Amino acid sequence: GAVVSQHPSWVICKSGTSVKIECRSLDFQATTMFWYRQFPKQSLMLMATSNEGSKATYEQGVEKDKFLINHASLTLSTLTVTSAHPEDSSFYICSASARGTNHGRNQPQHFGDGTRLSIL
Amino acid sequence: KQEVTQIPAALSVPEGENLVLNCSFTDSAIYNLQWFRQDPGKGLTSLLLIQSSQREQTSGRLNASLDKSSGRSTLYIAASQPGDSATYLCAVGQGGSEKLVFGKGTKLTVNP
């Protein structure tokens, strides 16, 4: 099955630090990757959608200068939380969907295991 | 704006019981609906995907139904086991954009 690897799984760092999270599709080409944020006991909230080779599309209310997304290849997307502060502490999850010919239907998303970010 | 609601928020049942989890959505113009399982501190595992033209999908002890016109889906788990304990998330796919809108989930505990 399609495997998505997310790294690191847990990060603890000081306020003001920038943190990079990687999302890799291991056995398929991911034309689209999604970044979500999840607060405790809350649903996943989509932050941005990134397509390989183009700029990410951010959801309303998400600061693009705060959350930098790069999708430079068909197997890797990165999310950098710049100058992180305690309010950025959360669980970040990526997903990837494959280039496909599913008769125009939405391709299923395959999720990574998430990254727990704790800012002190 | 699409909103997805899951009821109940938490459910505790004895092992062996059959159970139903509910999901409702406000905008019936969906592309598909997906049920996921999330273990504590982990990512999501896809359980079942129902396209908008389908009414149900089955995988092992799991059966998901979709009534698009009424904006509802149910996930039926037969003969529940302690290993089924997890949070179950419902998500609807919006046509054309590939975006998923998630509910808050139902936390299921199956007691031995």
Side-chain angles (χ1 to χ4, degrees):
Chain A
V3 178
V4 174
S5 173
Q6 193 171 335
H7 178 81
S9 57
W10 203 342
V11 179
I12 302 175
C13 57
K14 294 181 179 179
S15 184
T17 305
S18 291
V19 179
K20 180 185 283 188
I21 302 170
E22 293 187 348
C23 181
R24 293 180 185 271
S25 57
L26 299 185
D27 51 1
F28 67 99
Q29 292 185 327
T31 50
T32 307
M33 287 188 171
F34 304 85
W35 288 95
Y36 296 86
R37 183 172 181 176
Q38 185 180 33
F39 290 106
K41 298 184 180 180
Q42 298 295 314
S43 64
L44 275 72
M45 298 300 296
L46 179 65
M47 298 175 65
T49 303
S50 75
N51 292 293
E52 184 264 338
S54 62
K55 290 184 179 181
T57 302
Y58 290 80
E59 294 300 299
Q60 190 173 8
V62 179
E63 301 175 57
K64 61 180 180 181
D65 295 329
K66 174 76 172 177
F67 300 99
L68 301 178
I69 292 172
N70 182 281
H71 191 167
S73 76
L74 283 171
T75 59
L76 173 65
S77 176
T78 61
L79 168 67
T80 300
V81 183
T82 61
S83 186
H85 292 285
E87 59 265 30
D88 298 323
S89 299
S90 188
F91 191 57
Y92 293 86
I93 307 177
C94 73
S95 70
S97 64
R99 180 199 306 274
T101 56
N102 195 15
H103 304 292
R105 292 179 173 173
N106 291 4
Q107 296 294 322
Q109 293 182 28
H110 307 282
F111 286 80
D113 276 345
T115 297
R116 173 73 58 194
L117 176 61
S118 297
I119 308 299
L120 304 177
Chain B
K1 180 183 176 184
Q2 178 73 270
E3 292 184 3
V4 179
T5 303
Q6 290 187 247
I7 295 173
L11 181 64
S12 182
V13 300
E15 182 177 3
E17 193 163 296
N18 302 325
L19 57 100
V20 175
L21 306 181
N22 296 292
C23 172
S24 62
F25 46 95
T26 54
D27 184 351
S28 62
I30 65 170
Y31 223 74
N32 54 37
L33 184 142
Q34 204 162 355
W35 283 93
F36 294 89
R37 169 187 174 136
Q38 185 177 30
D39 291 291
K42 295 291 186 179
L44 276 63
T45 300
S46 179
L47 299 174
L48 290 164
L49 169 67
I50 311 176
Q51 300 293 349
S52 61
S53 58
Q54 298 175 324
R55 297 212 37 111
E56 67 176 346
Q57 283 287 331
T58 298
S59 175
R61 294 183 293 109
L62 305 179
N63 176 276
S65 68
L66 173 64
D67 185 342
K68 207 172 77 161
S69 61
S70 66
R72 294 180 182 179
S73 175
T74 61
L75 178 66
Y76 174 82
I77 302 178
S80 59
Q81 302 171 357
D84 295 331
S85 298
T87 296
Y88 290 80
L89 295 166
C90 166
V92 297
Q94 301 293 104
S97 68
E98 294 190 305
K99 293 182 181 180
L100 292 178
V101 179
F102 283 84
K104 290 185 179 181
T106 294
K107 183 176 182 180
L108 173 66
T109 302
V110 181
N111 301 300

